[in-house]
Amino acid sequence: MAKITVDGQTYDVKAGDNLLKTCLSLRLDLPYFCWHPALGSVGACRQCAVVQYKDESDAQGRLVMACMTPVTEGLRVSLEAPQAREFRAGVIEFLMTNHPHDCPVCEEGGECHLQDMTVMTGHTFRRYRGLKRTHRNQYLGPFINHEMNRCIACYRCVRVYRDYAGGKDLDVFASRNNVYFGRFEDGVLENEFSGNLVEVCPTGVFTDRTFSQHYVRKWDLQHAPSICVHCGVGCNTSPGERYGTLRRIVNRYNGEVNGYFLCDRGRFGYGFVNSERRIRQPMLRGEPVSGETALAHFQGLLGGHTIGIGSPRASLEVNFALRELVGAEHFYAGFAQGEASLAAAILDVLRHWPVHNPSLREVEQADAVLILGEDVANTAPRVALALRQAVRNRAFERADRLKIPRWQDAAVREAAQGEKSPLFVVAPNATRLDDIAEAICRGTPEDIARLGLAIANRIDASAPAVADLSQEDEHLAELIGDTLTAAAHPLIVSGTGCGSLSVVRAAANIALALSNRREGRAVDLCYVVPECNTLGLAMMDERSVKDAFAAAKTRDLNTVIVLENDLYRRADAGAVDSFFNGTRHVVVIDHIRHGTAAKAQLLLPGSTFAETEGTLVSLEGRAQRFYSVMPGSGEIRDSWRWLADAAAKRWSNIDALTAACAAALPEFGPIRNAAPPAGFRVEGEKVPREPHRYSGRTAMFANREIHEPKPPDDPDSALAFSMEGASVDVPPALLPFVWAPGWNSHQQAVNKFQDEVGGALRGGDPGVRLFESPETAEPRWFDEVPYRLRDEARWRAIPLYHVFGSEELSALSPPLAERVPAAYAALHPEDAERLGVGETLAVRLNERVVRLPLRLESSLPRGAVGISAGLAGLFRSDLPAWIAIEKEGERP
Amino acid sequence: MNETRILSEQETAEILAAAGHYPDKSAASVEALKIVQKYRGWVSDEALKTVAGLLEMSPDELDGVATFYNLIFRRPVGENVILCCDSVSCWMLGADRIREHLSERLGIGLGETTADGRYTLLPIVCLGACDRAPVLMVGEELYEDVDESKIDELLKRNGQTWTDR
C-alpha cells in the first residue's frame, strides 16, 4: 500500500500501479485515450497529464503522464492544477484539428469516448479554421466499417488487434498527420476478434457494420444482461433491441470470464433472432392456429407413451421443465451419441478427479499450457484469446526481474522480444494458436491420445505406459511432460473437438499425473464443450438421441416432444426419419425452422435467448443467468411456458422453475444464487432495461395506437421493460448496460463499476461455479491405450471446425453467413495426388456416398480425411470414423 | 505467387543476404526495401508482398515500415527526384520562393512527377546543410545556396524539353 495525495486529499492505494489506473479506481475523472486496462500503458496520447509535486513545499510541480507514472509512497499530484487542465485541453484541441464535425451522422455518437473526453476537458469551442486531412477508407469485410478521417491516432486498434489478439492484417502506415490504420489492401479483416475494434476504438473509425443495417443511438436501445449462446465459454453480453428487433451485441464485462473482449461469432451471430426462419406462429399439421388451440392440442397429446428430447443449446430451466412434464425416465438429453459419452466422461473427471476447472482469468495466469486435441480458436475462441495472454507470463517475469512494471506495455514487449511461456499444440491440423506454440504435433485422434498418455506416463511413472511410441513422440512426451512438471501453474486444455474419448481421458491422466507430483493439489484442466449448455444438460441427463430412438422401438411411442433441437444435427438423417415415421405425434418447440421443425405435426413458437430468461452452465462449470432483452412478439412464448402451461401452470415464474430444478437435482443447488430473483428490488424499484434518455416512448407505436401503451409486465425478473427505475447499486448480474455520468462509452464506463479498474465487478463477478475441486478425489487411471491406427483400405475421418459456420444459430446470421464456407472434405496434398483426386472427393459416410468439394490441407496427417463440421451441406457425420473414399470410376 | 518473377535473382539474393545478418529477418526491412528501390526506383505492391514473404512478415507489417519512411517510394517517381528542404533554416532563407520557381519551371506541385517522367518534386524536412541554406537534393547530389539562376542552370544540365514551355 501507499499513501498518496491527489489535489490535497490523501488516499491509501495499491503501490506499483500506474497513477491513471489508480485515479480511475478512486472514481476520479481523468481523461485518457491510449491506455486500456487490458492493454497497459504506452504514453502515446498525452491526454492523462497531471502535475506532480516533489514535496509539500513544491508549488510549481511538473507535468507527468499519469499512465506512465508509478504510484509510490508519498506521491503528490494534482489533476485540477491549471497547467494540467490547460495541457489536457490543448491535447484535445490538437486532436480535434483533424477530427471531422460529423458527430450527428457518426454511429459512435452518444457512446463516443472522444466526445466524452472533449466535454470533460472543456474544449467546447473550435479555433482552428484550416483544412483537415482526409483519408480514403477501406472495405474491411461484413463486420466492420472504416472511417479513417475520425482517427485520433491513439494506436489502441493495432494494439488490440495485433498485440493482444495476434492478428496480422491490420497495421499502421505512414507518419505524422498522415498516420493511417488499416489493411495493406482492401479486404476482410481475418482475425476472429475484429469486432473488439469497435469497442476499443475511442471514436468512430471502426464501427459495427451489422448494426449499421438497422442503426439506432445507444440511448434508444433496450438492453438486458445476457449470455452468449454460440459456444460453451459463456461470455457475458449486452444485446440491444429497438422496435422488436435485436440490433447488436456488445461486451458485458465479467472479470472472471470474458473481461473486455468477445469473439466475432458471439458479437455478430445474433441475426438469427430477426431471421425470416423464425417460428412465429403455432402450426398444427402445417396450418397456423392460435396459441390456445395449440396448447389445448398439446395437452391432448400427453397421455400414453410420451418422451421428451432436450437440447444442449437450451437453458437448464427449459430442459428441466420438459423433464418434469414427461418424467425423468422419459427425458433424453438430446445429444448426439458421441457428444453424450464425451460429456459424461468430462463430467466424471470434473466431479471426481483432482482437477480445477479454471476461469478465463485463471487461464491467463498459466505458465505452461498443453492443448490436447482441440482447435480452440474455432471451437471456443475466447479461450484461445486467453491462452494468447498466458504465453506472455514469461515476458512479465522478465519484466519483474528488470524492475519494469507489468503495465509498461511497450517496455515489457521490448524487453521480452519473442520470448513466450511454453504452449504446446497437439491437434489434428493447423490451428490459429500455432504461431505462439513452442512445439506443434499433428496426428489422428488416436495419435493425439497416445501422445497424451505418454506425457502422463513421463510425468508420473505410475500412469499407464504407451507401447511402440515413435522416437519423435517419445522426445515430445519428454519435452512436454518435463515442462509441465516444472511449471508453477500448468494448464491442460482439451475437449470434445476430436470426438474422441481417448483424448478426453488422456488429458485427465496428464492432470492426475501432475497432481500426484504436486502432493495431490488440483491441476488446472479446461475441457472445451461445444454448446452453451452442454455441461449443464449433461449434469441433468446423459442420454443421447440414439437412446431415445431405441426407447421408441421398445414400446409403441405416442408422442415425442423435441425441444429447441434439430435432430438432423445429432444423428444420421435416415435414423431420424425412421424415428419420426414411427412416432404418432411429433411436437417441436423451437424458435427457428430446421429439418426437425418441418417434421412437426404441432410446432410451437419458442423464444431465443433474447426473449426469455434462464440459466446456462459454461465450460467453466459457471452457472450464469441470462434475461430477456425484449418480450416475445405475437404468439412467441418462453419455451418453458409452453411446457409449464401444458403441465397445468406448475411454475408461476422462472424462479419457481429454477428453484424446482435446484431442489430436484442437488448438484444444481447453487444456481438459485446465479442472479437475484424476480422479487429483488433496489429501493423498492425494478432495474430499467432502457437508459434514462430512451426517446420516443410515447410515440414509437403511434402507428398502431396513439395512446402510450403500458410497458409489458415482466414477472420473471427484477428488470423492467422501461426507462424508469433504479439505476444505482444494481447487482452486476442485473446490469443491462453500463453508463456513468460523463462516461457514455461502455468500455470506459465500466471503470466505475469495478472494485478496482480491470478487476472484479463491484458486488462480485456474476455467476456461480458448480464444480470446485473435490475434497477427496477418486481418480482411477484411464488405461485403455488406443492403437496407432493406420489402414491401407480405409481412411480416418476427423472433424474440422470453423469459427464461422460450425455453430448452428450464428451461421444463420447474414453478415456471418458471408464468411461461412460450404461443407468440404480435406486431404493431405500427397494423399490427394496418390489417389488422383482433384476438385471433389466422394466419401462413404454412414452408408451414404457424399460428394464434397476437396481442399488440400498440408497440415493434416497422412491417411486422414478432414470433414468440415456443422457446415451447410453436411451436418452430422459422427466423427472420427473409418470411411471409404469412393473412386470416381466406381461411382454408381 | 512466383517470387522470382516479381523480383530479379540479384534482388532476391541481396535481400536474403541482408536478412542473414539478423536473428529476426524482419530487422532487414528497410535494407530490403532500399534494395528493391535501387533497381526499380520505387516499390510496387507486388514487390512489397514478395519482399514480405522473403522476410517472413505480413505485407501489412512491411508496408507499415515502407510508408513510415518518406524516401521509400511506394509510387513511381521520375528519373530525378528533387528533394526540396522546407525546414526552418531554408524557410528563413527563401525555400518557398525556390519551391515556387521549381514548380513553375517544371509545371508540377510537390508530390508530382512531370509528364515526361524526368522529375519528381518532393519536400523534405532537413538535408543537414543549414549553413548553406536554402538547399536542394537531386538524386544523390546536394545543391547549396540555391537561387533561381542555379535552378535554371541545373535544369538545363539535366535536360531541356520542359524549359521552353
Side-chain angles (χ1 to χ4, degrees), chain A residues 338-370:
Chain A
E339 289 170 351
S341 52
L342 291 166
I346 287 171
L347 270 182
D348 179 55
V349 173
L350 295 180
R351 281 173 176 148
H352 305 302
W353 288 50
V355 297
H356 172 75
N357 191 352
S359 70
L360 289 197
R361 193 189 276 281
E362 290 167 328
V363 166
E364 290 176 356
Q365 310 305 319
D367 59 354
V369 181
L370 167 64

Side-chain angles (χ1 to χ4, degrees), chain A residues 680-683 687 726-732 734-735 753 762:
Chain A
F680 176 85
R681 296 291 181 273
V682 180
E683 303 282 331
V687 177
S727 56
V728 289
D729 298 328
V730 175
L734 283 178
L735 267 180
F753 292 81
R762 224 176 323 145

Side-chain angles (χ1 to χ4, degrees), chain A residues 443-586:
Chain A
T444 64
E446 292 72 29
D447 300 339
I448 291 168
R450 285 167 59 84
L451 180 60
L453 291 169
I455 293 168
N457 178 255
R458 170 75 191 179
I459 295 167
D460 178 358
S462 66
V466 181
D468 320 322
L469 209 59
S470 72
Q471 191 109 45
E472 205 180 322
D473 280 0
E474 210 158 306
H475 285 314
L476 205 52
E478 273 176 36
L479 170 68
I480 297 174
D482 296 351
T483 308
L484 292 174
T485 307
H489 303 286
L491 166 67
I492 320 298
V493 180
S494 187
T496 57
C498 273
S500 159
L501 272 176
S502 306
V503 169
V504 165
R505 290 172 171 172
N509 269 15
I510 298 170
L512 176 56
L514 282 169
S515 173
N516 288 347
R517 289 290 293 264
R518 297 151 57 92
E519 288 114 37
R521 268 177 299 150
V523 170
D524 285 354
L525 173 60
C526 170
Y527 279 123
V528 172
V529 294
E531 285 167 274
C532 61
N533 202 21
T534 299
L535 215 50
L537 181 63
M539 290 164 74
M540 191 178 291
D541 186 271
E542 292 177 349
R543 289 182 294 174
S544 73
V545 292
K546 279 268 168 67
D547 298 319
F549 297 172
K553 284 204 181 106
T554 58
R555 262 175 68 192
D556 185 33
L557 185 58
N558 188 45
T559 304
V560 58
I561 306 166
V562 183
L563 174 71
E564 301 190 16
N565 201 342
D566 180 8
L567 302 191
Y568 290 95
R569 296 180 78 95
R570 312 278 178 194
D572 189 57
V576 182
D577 285 341
S578 75
F579 169 65
F580 284 139
N581 292 339
T583 305
R584 208 163 293 129
H585 304 289
V586 178

Side-chain angles (χ1 to χ4, degrees), chain A residues 595-869:
Chain A
T596 301
K599 294 282 180 184
Q601 280 124 29
L602 179 63
L603 183 61
L604 300 174
S607 40
T608 65
F609 76 93
E611 297 132 347
T612 189
E613 42 287 307
T615 309
L616 301 171
V617 181
S618 74
L619 57 82
E620 183 205 335
R622 182 180 290 266
Q624 303 186 101
R625 193 76 42 82
F626 63 95
Y627 291 97
S628 57
V629 185
M630 54 186 171
S633 63
E635 295 285 4
I636 292 172
R637 297 187 194 181
D638 301 303
S639 299
W640 66 266
R641 266 211 165 80
W642 284 113
L643 297 161
D645 290 353
K649 301 213 188 304
R650 231 166 112 187
W651 308 284
S652 55
N653 73 358
I654 190 87
D655 285 346
L657 184 53
T658 308
C661 178
L665 299 159
E667 215 172 12
F668 290 126
I671 66 172
R672 272 174 293 195
N673 306 323
F680 176 85
R681 296 291 181 273
V682 180
E683 303 282 331
E685 290 190 282
K686 281 191 149 197
V687 177
R689 286 177 169 90
E690 298 161 2
H692 63 284
R693 290 176 183 143
Y694 195 80
S695 63
R697 158 179 96 164
T698 56
M700 60 190 287
F701 297 111
N703 58 328
R704 278 184 255 152
E705 166 69 67
I706 60 160
H707 303 292
E708 183 188 338
K710 181 176 167 296
D713 283 334
D714 183 0
D716 296 311
S717 79
L719 297 161
F721 293 108
S722 165
M723 57 197 283
E724 282 146 15
S727 56
V728 289
D729 298 328
V730 175
L734 283 178
L735 267 180
F737 55 90
V738 288
W739 177 86
W743 299 84
N744 295 288
S745 152
H746 68 268
Q747 280 264 330
Q748 275 60 235
V750 74
N751 291 341
K752 304 281 183 187
F753 292 81
Q754 296 159 327
D755 276 338
E756 67 166 322
V757 171
L761 287 169
R762 224 176 323 145
D765 288 316
V768 288
R769 283 170 55 91
L770 301 184
F771 299 98
E772 291 309 341
S773 321
E775 279 173 24
T776 49
E778 306 160 1
R780 268 190 48 226
W781 294 116
F782 291 122
D783 54 7
E784 284 172 41
V785 181
Y787 295 108
R788 187 178 148 73
L789 295 167
R790 288 291 187 275
D791 189 317
E792 284 304 305
R794 294 179 306 163
W795 295 76
R796 196 66 180 153
I798 48 186
L800 301 179
Y801 297 89
H802 285 262
V803 57
F804 306 124
S806 292
E807 191 271 330
E808 178 184 9
L809 299 176
S810 58
L812 300 172
S813 171
L816 211 105
E818 276 188 45
R819 299 191 57 185
V820 175
Y824 65 90
L827 279 177
H828 191 282
E830 286 170 27
D831 281 344
E833 198 180 337
R834 189 164 60 85
L835 284 169
V837 287
E839 304 264 290
T840 59
L841 192 71
V843 294
R844 185 174 288 278
L845 281 172
N846 298 328
E847 303 313 311
R848 194 159 55 100
V849 174
V850 190
R851 288 175 61 81
L852 293 165
L854 178 65
R855 285 191 186 187
L856 300 181
E857 179 55 67
S858 56
S859 69
L860 276 173
R862 302 291 302 272
V865 185
I867 305 279
S868 61

Side-chain angles (χ1 to χ4, degrees), chain A residues 69-249:
Chain A
T69 305
V71 168
T72 51
E73 177 62 37
L75 182 73
R76 306 178 71 83
V77 291
S78 170
L79 276 50
E80 299 300 330
Q83 65 265 47
R85 295 189 66 101
E86 277 162 28
F87 183 89
R88 297 196 300 257
V91 170
I92 288 271
E93 186 166 12
F94 269 121
L95 292 178
M96 283 302 198
T97 58
N98 272 325
H99 191 78
H101 303 215
D102 67 343
C103 301
V105 295
C106 172
E107 292 181 9
E108 194 78 0
E111 54 181 325
C112 176
H113 186 52
L114 179 58
Q115 277 183 334
D116 288 347
M117 297 301 97
T118 305
V119 172
M120 197 175 282
T121 54
H123 173 64
T124 49
F125 181 80
R126 291 197 197 211
R127 291 183 292 175
Y128 180 68
R129 289 289 176 272
L131 283 175
K132 290 173 187 283
R133 58 104 176 85
T134 51
H135 289 295
R136 194 184 65 84
N137 300 318
Q138 289 182 321
Y139 169 76
L140 299 179
F143 299 155
I144 310 284
N145 295 313
H146 195 217
E147 178 45 74
M148 254 309 291
N149 290 340
R150 296 177 183 142
C151 181
I152 59 165
C154 73
Y155 283 70
R156 268 191 187 184
C157 55
V158 285
R159 291 175 63 214
V160 75
Y161 192 88
R162 292 176 51 92
D163 298 350
Y164 197 88
K168 301 268 183 264
D169 59 335
L170 181 85
D171 220 304
V172 50
F173 305 97
S175 62
R176 302 194 304 140
N177 259 3
N178 299 319
V179 162
Y180 187 92
F181 297 88
R183 294 184 85 252
F184 171 67
E185 54 199 352
D186 285 36
V188 176
L189 281 173
E190 285 160 15
N191 190 275
E192 62 272 19
F193 300 100
S194 68
N196 296 297
L197 293 171
V198 172
E199 295 195 34
V200 164
C201 175
T203 179
V205 178
F206 300 102
T207 51
D208 181 341
R209 198 177 176 90
T210 72
F211 187 33
S212 303
Q213 308 303 313
H214 42 215
Y215 180 75
V216 293
R217 290 286 177 208
K218 179 197 182 188
W219 63 72
D220 283 341
L221 286 169
Q222 174 163 267
H223 304 83
S226 191
I227 305 295
C228 182
V229 296
H230 302 298
C231 83
V233 178
C235 292
N236 292 201
T237 59
S238 181
E241 172 268 358
R242 180 84 175 176
Y243 289 114
T245 51
L246 197 60
R247 302 300 175 100
R248 69 156 177 193
I249 286 187

